[in-house]
Amino acid sequence: MRGIAAVPSYVVMQPTTLCNLDCAYCYLPFRSVDRRMPVAVAEAVAASVNQWAAGGRFSVVWHGGEPLAAGREHLAALLAPFGPDVEHHVQTNATLIDDAWCAFFAEHRVRVSVSVDGPRARNGERVTRGGRPAYDRIVAGVAALHRHGLPFSALAVVSRPEPGLATELYGYFLDLGCDVLGVNIEETEGVNTRTNARDEGAVTRFWAELVAAWRRDPRIHLREVEWSLRYAGAVLAGTADDLLPRSLDPIPTVGHDGSVVVLSPELAGFTDPRYGDFASGNVLTTPLRDILAGAAGTPWVDEFLTGVEACRASCAYFGFCGGGHAANRYFELGRFDGTETEHCRNSKIRLLEGVLEHARDHQ
């Protein structure tokens, strides 16, 4: 896996910077301001995306802010330029979902992923702008999805791994009725400056416990665990080199104003004296295809690629993670050519160690 691929597997779009919640661990810098994406930006992106989608499966992920805060009429206008081969996904806090939004999702074939951190007691940091708990509004949105028979994924943030938590969370999401679950250990990035340094043993045990809970009732696709098991199986089969792509997915994030940041959506909206605004171009002046073709010439991107090679040379887990994420390096280390981060330890190294610990305990 070397360099950056010319064609991504998906594009992230920011229909608005606004979010109606004020979660304590959120990384977004402008979530209190409604800066909406003009339709001209969507049209410019679609010119490249429609060509890519004609050649195989391709996704557009609408990710804010809170994408639903853009409103149904405006979001429909942003979706309109994309062809029928494009899959649309929305990452939402679910608090705005009602029957009308469910009809919108069905009409436009939008796949929904809900951000929720588990039962009420685990959602204390997901609050409204007035500081009120958002949990009741989240479950009301999920109930609407169920009424309309719409499948959905879930994404949970874990801030404090502790004994019993993984079992509790997995049971909760079984009852919630999602079909896919992603679990993120809280990250230090963006405007969230809280430390993500965690006790190594506690995090490893959390992942091992989550594997055990999933194996007892594997009705949910568990993103991190299933990827870990695929990797472990490939190592045993001697095919691990075939698991990672040949080049890094550029993961272009198109901001509300058309600016394009590659590799890490979390960098969008930030500036740095050394690196500028991290953008590799703007779709209103340059086709997205051309921006990605020249992304490797962006100074911070070249620095990141140097860091990836340093990981390849120094880390036994490189085949599993492929060199980590640019935003984690920047926000934790202050630059892009460093190597191991707390995010690596929590969500890559200890994840894999947790899977192996479970396997050792049940062999």
Side-chain angles (χ1 to χ4, degrees):
M1 188 179 73
R2 298 182 186 277
I4 298 177
V7 177
S9 59
Y10 63 100
V11 170
V12 180
M13 299 278 282
Q14 186 182 49
T16 177
T17 57
L18 180 66
C19 186
N20 59 321
L21 297 189
D22 193 20
C23 303
Y25 51 67
C26 184
Y27 64 85
L28 291 165
F30 302 117
R31 62 185 187 271
S32 64
V33 182
D34 188 8
R35 299 178 180 176
R36 295 193 182 188
M37 175 179 284
V39 173
V41 171
E43 291 171 341
V45 174
S48 293
V49 165
N50 290 339
Q51 295 178 31
W52 294 328
R57 183 177 181 181
F58 196 91
S59 300
V60 172
V61 180
W62 299 91
H63 193 306
E66 166 52 50
L68 306 194
R72 286 186 297 278
E73 183 177 347
H74 188 61
L75 193 55
L78 295 176
L79 290 169
F82 294 93
D85 295 326
V86 178
E87 290 184 5
H88 292 281
H89 301 249
V90 62
Q91 185 66 46
T92 175
N93 60 41
T95 61
L96 300 176
I97 296 178
D98 55 14
D99 292 335
W101 269 113
C102 289
F104 179 96
F105 298 146
E107 178 185 355
H108 295 280
R109 296 180 299 142
V110 176
R111 303 184 183 199
V112 179
S113 179
V114 172
S115 298
V116 57
D117 298 338
R120 184 186 303 275
R122 301 292 182 182
N123 272 267
E125 296 187 304
R126 300 187 63 77
V127 297
T128 67
R129 297 220 149 266
R132 293 179 174 273
Y135 184 73
D136 287 340
R137 294 173 62 184
I138 294 171
V139 296
V142 170
L145 293 171
H146 282 302
R147 284 198 305 274
H148 288 263
L150 296 174
F152 64 96
S153 303
L155 181 63
V157 174
V158 173
S159 296
R160 292 171 293 278
E162 58 190 25
L165 174 58
T167 301
E168 176 189 355
L169 287 181
Y170 188 73
Y172 172 82
F173 285 105
L174 280 176
D175 293 340
L176 193 69
C178 62
D179 52 11
V180 180
L181 173 62
V183 178
N184 291 345
I185 304 294
E186 181 182 341
E187 302 171 41
T188 300
E189 58 186 6
V191 297
N192 179 25
T193 58
R194 305 193 310 191
T195 181
N196 61 338
R198 300 286 181 265
D199 177 75
E200 176 179 353
V203 177
T204 301
R205 288 189 296 272
F206 169 83
W207 290 118
E209 182 185 321
L210 189 60
V211 178
W214 175 75
R215 289 195 64 193
R216 286 192 294 269
D217 192 355
R219 280 181 285 150
I220 295 175
H221 287 292
L222 193 50
R223 185 184 64 183
E224 288 77 15
V225 169
E226 292 187 33
W227 164 248
S228 303
L229 292 173
R230 281 197 298 273
Y231 175 73
V235 170
L236 293 174
T239 60
D241 287 346
D242 299 328
L243 209 55
L244 291 175
R246 295 300 93 190
S247 302
L248 286 166
D249 193 322
I251 317 176
T253 296
V254 183
H256 69 96
D257 59 353
S259 59
V260 179
V261 173
V262 298
L263 297 172
S264 285
E266 299 83 0
L267 291 170
F270 289 91
T271 60
D272 181 277
R274 292 164 294 170
Y275 307 113
D277 62 4
F278 300 107
S280 294
N282 190 297
V283 296
L284 293 176
T285 57
T286 307
L288 180 58
R289 174 185 302 278
D290 294 345
I291 291 173
L292 298 186
T298 307
W300 75 262
V301 174
D302 288 344
E303 186 178 299
F304 172 71
L305 294 176
T306 298
V308 169
E309 293 307 309
C311 284
R312 187 196 308 275
S314 63
C315 184
Y317 296 85
F318 181 83
F320 178 57
C321 79
H325 301 293
N328 297 115
R329 294 181 192 219
Y330 173 72
F331 289 114
E332 288 194 38
L333 307 177
R335 56 185 303 110
F336 293 97
D337 55 2
T339 53
E340 191 173 306
T341 64
E342 291 293 346
H343 173 71
C344 292
R345 299 180 188 106
N346 291 332
S347 299
K348 303 297 182 182
I349 296 172
R350 290 164 192 164
L351 164 61
L352 189 55
E353 290 296 332
V355 171
L356 296 176
E357 179 178 297
H358 171 81
R360 288 191 293 267
D361 291 343
H362 294 80
Q363 61 185 356

